Amino acid sequence: MAIISYGIQLSSTPVNSGPQYAVSYSSNCTTYTYAGLVTLPSSGSIDYVNIDDTSTCIKVSSVGNCTNEVVSGSSPSTSSYNTYIATLTEKNGSGPEFILSEDTGSGLFNTFDTIELASQGASAPFEPSTNAVAIRFRSNGACQTSETVQIGGVVPPTPTPTPTPSPTPAPTATPAPTATPAPTPNSCFAVDVYQSPFSATDACCNVISTVAYLNGTSLLTATIAYSQRNFNCSDVLSNPTYMTQDLTNYYFWNGSSFSGPTSCPGCP
């Protein structure tokens, strides 16, 4: 493989083309390598460019009087390369050919390749030098778009948003325990009555006063009668009993409740 000087002659001048043209060469007519720019101001003009002697296809693309054409041009260096893939995200009337130039840190962009991106979404590989810090894509001809892609710089990390502190919940007051009231002791009163387990007549006519243990101070207010077996009023009187305090009206205790007052019967 050798590099040869190749003459490019302009046979005709298309409208709005020239005077500068980008030249690329290929040995398979598919993948092209950028060779450089030639100046062909009019039909019949000849200019020369260096290409590989194994080339079978030459591509000449008008650069035109573009305001965003390449800043400066030079042949690629012989240093090692990294392969990248360029994808056309928005066409906007540019292309289909794009001139690639690289900035190796000097601030000047040097042309190193031409790629073809025929439609939106199309991709093509390119190989800038390893010390390139930025790549510039320029539409070859229409020159309606230009974009610089950083490839060597350090991309600043996206700052992590400061989390919003969650409010500290106020402590829930523990309710004070409700005091359980102490049981009220049974009310117990010793009441003088006339009573009989046999009949109302016996209670009203057998005028022998005894003591009844009640939860009230009289038969009128009492609702419970207690047994006389003890005096702490813990046992309810289970026997039915007739009771009177005035020998005129009596009350009947049935073992669970009182009924009355009822008029005493006549005595025999």
Side-chain angles (χ1 to χ4, degrees):
M1 180 179 70
I3 300 297
I4 61 173
S5 179
Y6 193 87
I8 306 293
Q9 184 176 27
L10 186 64
S11 59
S12 62
T13 306
V15 178
N16 296 328
S17 64
Q20 286 190 317
Y21 296 82
V23 179
S24 303
Y25 60 89
S26 174
S27 60
N28 57 14
C29 297
T30 301
T31 303
Y32 286 83
T33 300
Y34 177 74
L37 293 175
V38 294
T39 302
L40 303 171
S42 60
S43 299
S45 298
I46 299 177
D47 200 357
Y48 295 86
V49 68
N50 294 330
I51 66 171
D52 188 351
D53 64 350
T54 61
S55 301
T56 57
C57 293
I58 301 294
K59 181 183 292 185
V60 179
S61 303
S62 174
V63 175
N65 296 316
C66 303
T67 58
N68 66 341
E69 60 190 322
V70 178
V71 177
S72 61
S74 68
S75 299
S77 67
T78 57
S79 60
S80 59
Y81 297 91
N82 294 321
T83 299
Y84 294 84
I85 300 296
T87 300
L88 186 61
T89 57
E90 294 185 26
K91 185 169 176 59
N92 293 331
S94 60
E97 288 188 333
F98 293 83
I99 297 173
L100 275 60
S101 55
E102 64 182 4
D103 174 14
T104 57
S106 66
L108 297 178
F109 284 85
N110 297 314
T111 301
F112 69 92
D113 200 357
T114 299
I115 60 175
E116 182 171 334
L117 300 172
S119 60
Q120 185 168 315
S123 300
F126 63 95
E127 295 182 347
S129 58
T130 55
N131 58 346
V133 295
I135 302 297
R136 178 173 292 169
F137 295 77
R138 299 184 183 277
S139 177
N140 186 6
C143 296
Q144 295 182 17
T145 60
S146 175
E147 182 178 357
T148 299
V149 180
Q150 297 294 134
I151 62 171
V154 178
V155 179
T158 302
T160 302
T162 303
T164 303
S166 300
T168 303
T172 303
T174 303
T178 303
T180 303
T184 302
N186 295 330
S187 298
C188 187
F189 301 93
V191 180
D192 290 329
V193 298
Y194 303 95
Q195 59 181 330
S196 171
F198 304 113
S199 67
T201 300
D202 188 40
C204 292
C205 297
N206 186 13
V207 286
I208 300 175
S209 178
T210 60
V211 175
Y213 294 94
L214 309 176
N215 69 339
T217 58
S218 67
L219 291 173
L220 179 64
T221 60
T223 59
I224 300 176
Y226 296 105
S227 172
Q228 296 180 359
R229 290 179 298 177
N230 52 55
F231 305 104
N232 58 6
C233 298
S234 59
D235 296 329
V236 175
L237 179 63
S238 60
N239 297 326
T241 304
Y242 299 88
M243 299 181 188
T244 181
Q245 284 184 279
D246 56 7
L247 300 177
T248 300
N249 297 301
Y250 73 90
Y251 293 82
F252 177 63
W253 171 256
N254 63 8
S256 61
S257 64
F258 277 106
S259 61
T262 305
S263 297
C264 282
C267 293

